[in-house]
Structures are given as C-alpha cells and as structure tokens.
Amino acid sequence: MSLISSMCAALSEIIRPSSAAVPSTEKAADLGVNTRCRQRFQGPGKPLLVVFGPGELDVNRPVYRSLLAPIECNYVIFQSRSTDFFITDWSAIVAHIRELGVQWNPRRTVSWGFSMGGYASLRLGLNENPEIACSVAVTPHFRLGASVSRAQRLKQLPKNAECPDLVDSLNQSTLQTKFRIYLPTHSIGDTIHVLDAQQVRSSRAEIHYLNVDHGIELKWKEDGLLRPAFESLTADGTWRHSEVCTASTADIATAISAVDYLYQSHGETRTLRKLRDEGVMEAEWHLRKAIAYLARRDWDGFRESASRSLKLGAAKRGFPKIFQDAFLDAGTPLALSATLLSWTLRYDLGATRKFLDTHRGMEIIRGHMEFSDLCY
C-alpha cells in the first residue's frame, strides 16, 4: 500500500463514525385512524420522550427529528392528519406508549406537546399508566368545549368523543407527575386558555406566561433553546425557559380582558374594557378587536384597531373581508369608508380597484371629502 493510500485509509477511520456512534434509524407507522407515529430506539433503560405535534402539519414531515438526533434518548412522536387534538386515536396512542414502556423499560418517561399537542401532553400526564415524570405543554388548550376555542371553530373533533376538562383533572389529580405549562399573553386566540389557567390550583402544575404570540415553540427553536430543553427534560427535568419574555401581572390581566373581545368578534355580546395593549404585536389580536368594535358600531375603536392590525400584517393575504364588508355597509360613516379606501392604496391595490368599482367608491371620489379623510 502506498503512503498516500495509507494516509487516506487512516483519515477515513478518523472521520468515519464507529458503528456504536451511528444513531439508530427512525421508524414510522400509522396508528389508528388519523395518527402517524414515528419512533427511535437507542437502547433499553434510556429515557423515553413522548412528543405530540401541533395540528395542520403534513404527517409525513419529520418534525423534531433533527432536534432530537444528537440527544441520548428513545422517543416516539405522534402527528395527526386531523386537527382533532388526538381525541380520535387516544386509546390506541396510550396503549402504544404502554407497550413501548414494557419493551424499552425507560428509566424516565416525559411528554412534550405544542398547541394541539399541548392538550395531549397534559392529558397523558394525567394517566396513571404510563407513569409520566414530567409533562410539558406549550400553548395548550385546557377545555375543548369553549365556543371560541380552535377546537370548536375547526370542527374536527369526533362526535360524542370524550374531551376531558383538564382544569378539573389537574385540580383533582393525586399523581406525582410534574406539569410545566407555557402560555402566550400576546395571542388573542389563546386568551381563553390564559383565563382557564387562572383556575388551576394544583401544586404540581408550574404555569408560565410569556409576552409572545402563539408560536412559543417556534421562537424557542429560532433562539436555539429547544434542543437544550429536550436534553434537560430527558436527563433530569431541570430545564428552565428564558425569562426574557416573562409576562407581568398587568400583561396577564390584559390578556384575560381581551377574552371579551374574542367572544364579541365571534358574535357573542360582551362588555368591552379599554385595553392597554400597545405592545401586542399580533395582527390577529387587533383584527379581532376591530371586528368586536364594528359589531358595536364603535367607529373610533374600529378605526384604531383596524389600522393597527394592517400595520402588523393583517393584509398579507389580501385586504380583510371584514373591512371590505364595512366599506360597503351603508351604516358605515362615509368618512370611515374613505379611510378604508385609502388604506387599500397602501396594502392591497386589488382591493382599491374593487372598491372604486362600487357605488360607495364613486360616492367617495365624487363627493366633497376632507383631505384628512383620505390620508393614511
């Protein structure tokens, strides 16, 4: 063998991982009706991480795999083809986790879930078998029956399904499972869950409120915090999130007050209190407030919230239909319709053409509007 060949052979041995270092491959299979299950076995006795994915994702997309690749643990990841909060296949899911517990004999089992998966993670932690050491729920639901919850609006829950009230279950549980819950105060769709969390009295539940929108997990991933979270959770559970975005008592109170705007925007009459929410950077938050004000014919409130929502991106997929309807509504003050027309010039020229091709649009253009009414 030549010197060069010998050097190449030696170098290949250095850079080639040994068979013991090569991570075991992930296996995937369908479970029940809606669920896709992906799992990795590295060896008996290793910690078992149970992950429930969020809704509205392609089940064939290998979420979490790259994050979990270097972590010394066995794992099983559940994804659903439906936004059904894993209700449809729950019995099969629990049975599968129990079976893995028997086969793999983990020294520690923990669960993690984001959004829809947060509900499932909490629910799993409330089971006696399998025994869960720590259950983490990021942006979870607690009650699926609220009329304004995503669970009801998406209408994908199976009929007559068992949907436990997790507030009551947490308060009544005598298990030793630790629950770590993270809720956003800058997501109007999640304000109902912030309100529910205020009723949790269990000493085993550690609840954190963060001044971010619904995507807490995505933010942690972008900030490089998600993998360390999984590493610590599977090792000993001592992981703590960054305190940078921790919400104050006033922030939590604002989120709770915003629940009334959420209900009003969905047609349920509520008393609306002035919110100090200038720091909330979620377009949907201010869009829902605008809808709530519109329903009450509070034109000043509507104008302010609508403007704020547009600045934050409410027109990224086109000028919101609710604003188009308001423009055409004969009950809308003409000056406000003119303002809506002026906003389309900045955010959606397609809507400008539509507005101008209406009697209302011609009325504005041919009328004697004040210049300030056409400014934005």
Side-chain angles (χ1 to χ4, degrees), residues 171-292:
N171 289 339
Q172 296 169 11
S173 176
T174 58
L175 300 177
Q176 294 303 302
T177 304
K178 292 182 180 179
F179 298 92
R180 198 172 297 159
I181 301 165
Y182 298 89
L183 291 165
T185 58
H186 285 189
S187 167
I188 196 164
D190 292 296
T191 54
I192 185 68
H193 313 312
V194 173
L195 180 62
D196 286 340
Q198 296 294 296
Q199 300 173 37
V200 175
R201 299 288 180 262
S202 171
S203 61
R204 308 291 296 176
E206 183 181 300
I207 303 177
H208 302 271
Y209 302 93
L210 307 179
N211 279 340
V212 294
D213 61 18
H214 182 79
I216 295 176
E217 185 184 73
L218 302 180
K219 176 175 173 54
W220 285 343
K221 183 178 180 181
E222 292 172 357
D223 293 345
L225 300 175
L226 198 52
R227 180 176 290 161
F230 287 135
E231 288 174 337
S232 296
L233 183 64
T234 54
D236 56 17
T238 58
W239 166 73
R240 289 293 182 270
H241 72 286
S242 170
E243 300 290 335
V244 174
C245 298
T246 299
S248 67
T249 302
D251 296 324
I252 298 169
T254 295
I256 292 172
S257 295
V259 173
D260 290 326
Y261 287 86
L262 182 63
Y263 274 102
Q264 180 76 60
S265 71
H266 285 285
E268 298 185 32
T269 302
R270 293 296 179 99
T271 300
L272 304 182
R273 290 166 284 182
K274 182 69 175 178
L275 301 182
R276 298 186 63 181
D277 56 3
E278 297 82 1
V280 177
M281 305 301 288
E282 185 197 45
E284 181 70 14
W285 177 290
H286 298 282
L287 179 62
R288 284 287 152 194
K289 283 183 63 183
I291 295 171

Side-chain angles (χ1 to χ4, degrees), residues 28-38 59-60 79 81 89:
D30 288 331
L31 185 68
V33 178
N34 292 329
T35 307
R36 185 72 170 169
C37 169
R38 302 190 346 263
V59 296
N60 295 314
Q79 292 174 256
R81 294 183 175 84
D89 299 325

Side-chain angles (χ1 to χ4, degrees), residues 246-358:
T246 299
S248 67
T249 302
D251 296 324
I252 298 169
T254 295
I256 292 172
S257 295
V259 173
D260 290 326
Y261 287 86
L262 182 63
Y263 274 102
Q264 180 76 60
S265 71
H266 285 285
E268 298 185 32
T269 302
R270 293 296 179 99
T271 300
L272 304 182
R273 290 166 284 182
K274 182 69 175 178
L275 301 182
R276 298 186 63 181
D277 56 3
E278 297 82 1
V280 177
M281 305 301 288
E282 185 197 45
E284 181 70 14
W285 177 290
H286 298 282
L287 179 62
R288 284 287 152 194
K289 283 183 63 183
I291 295 171
Y293 282 130
L294 182 62
R296 300 168 67 90
R297 293 299 198 247
D298 182 335
W299 304 119
D300 289 339
F302 171 76
R303 182 195 294 260
E304 179 183 351
S305 296
S307 174
R308 182 69 172 156
S309 72
L310 290 168
K311 290 176 181 176
L312 291 171
K316 284 183 177 179
R317 299 182 180 178
F319 208 64
K321 185 178 184 302
I322 188 69
F323 296 169
Q324 298 182 42
D325 294 342
F327 173 83
L328 295 171
D329 189 338
T332 302
L334 197 60
L336 182 54
S337 288
T339 299
L340 288 166
L341 174 60
S342 71
W343 286 342
T344 65
L345 293 170
R346 171 177 288 183
Y347 299 109
D348 187 351
L349 289 176
T352 305
R353 290 188 285 269
K354 289 181 181 179
F355 282 15
L356 290 177
D357 194 27
T358 65

Side-chain angles (χ1 to χ4, degrees), residues 7-250:
M7 291 176 63
C8 290
L11 182 61
S12 67
E13 288 302 315
I14 293 173
I15 63 176
R16 181 189 303 132
S18 66
S19 58
V22 176
S24 54
T25 57
E26 187 180 80
K27 298 179 180 179
D30 288 331
L31 185 68
V33 178
N34 292 329
T35 307
R36 185 72 170 169
C37 169
R38 302 190 346 263
Q39 60 193 52
R40 181 190 73 182
F41 176 65
Q42 287 190 329
K46 289 184 179 292
L48 171 59
L49 173 63
V50 180
V51 179
F52 295 96
E56 301 176 341
L57 281 181
D58 180 359
V59 296
N60 295 314
R61 178 182 173 189
V63 294
Y64 303 102
R65 185 168 66 189
S66 60
L67 284 167
L68 298 177
I71 299 177
E72 289 289 322
C73 73
N74 300 322
Y75 68 68
V76 57
I77 301 170
F78 298 103
Q79 292 174 256
S80 179
R81 294 183 175 84
S82 168
T83 312
D84 66 350
F85 292 76
F86 299 96
I87 298 294
T88 305
D89 299 325
W90 186 248
S91 295
I93 289 170
V94 173
H96 186 69
I97 297 169
R98 288 172 179 166
E99 182 180 346
L100 293 181
V102 173
Q103 294 177 0
W104 296 354
N105 191 30
R107 67 173 182 270
R108 173 183 174 82
T109 301
V110 293
S111 67
W112 177 287
F114 168 49
S115 191
M116 177 181 85
Y119 178 87
S121 180
L122 288 179
R123 188 178 181 188
L124 183 68
L126 290 162
N127 272 265
E128 291 187 17
N129 182 17
E131 182 178 335
I132 306 298
C134 183
S135 172
V136 177
V138 184
T139 320
H141 283 56
F142 291 93
R143 293 165 170 145
L144 302 185
S147 61
V148 294
S149 75
R150 292 184 180 89
Q152 293 299 319
R153 289 190 283 112
L154 293 171
K155 301 184 184 303
Q156 293 188 7
L157 294 178
K159 293 182 179 180
N160 303 318
E162 181 183 0
C163 303
D165 181 323
L166 298 189
V167 173
D168 289 345
S169 298
L170 283 166
N171 289 339
Q172 296 169 11
S173 176
T174 58
L175 300 177
Q176 294 303 302
T177 304
K178 292 182 180 179
F179 298 92
R180 198 172 297 159
I181 301 165
Y182 298 89
L183 291 165
T185 58
H186 285 189
S187 167
I188 196 164
D190 292 296
T191 54
I192 185 68
H193 313 312
V194 173
L195 180 62
D196 286 340
Q198 296 294 296
Q199 300 173 37
V200 175
R201 299 288 180 262
S202 171
S203 61
R204 308 291 296 176
E206 183 181 300
I207 303 177
H208 302 271
Y209 302 93
L210 307 179
N211 279 340
V212 294
D213 61 18
H214 182 79
I216 295 176
E217 185 184 73
L218 302 180
K219 176 175 173 54
W220 285 343
K221 183 178 180 181
E222 292 172 357
D223 293 345
L225 300 175
L226 198 52
R227 180 176 290 161
F230 287 135
E231 288 174 337
S232 296
L233 183 64
T234 54
D236 56 17
T238 58
W239 166 73
R240 289 293 182 270
H241 72 286
S242 170
E243 300 290 335
V244 174
C245 298
T246 299
S248 67
T249 302

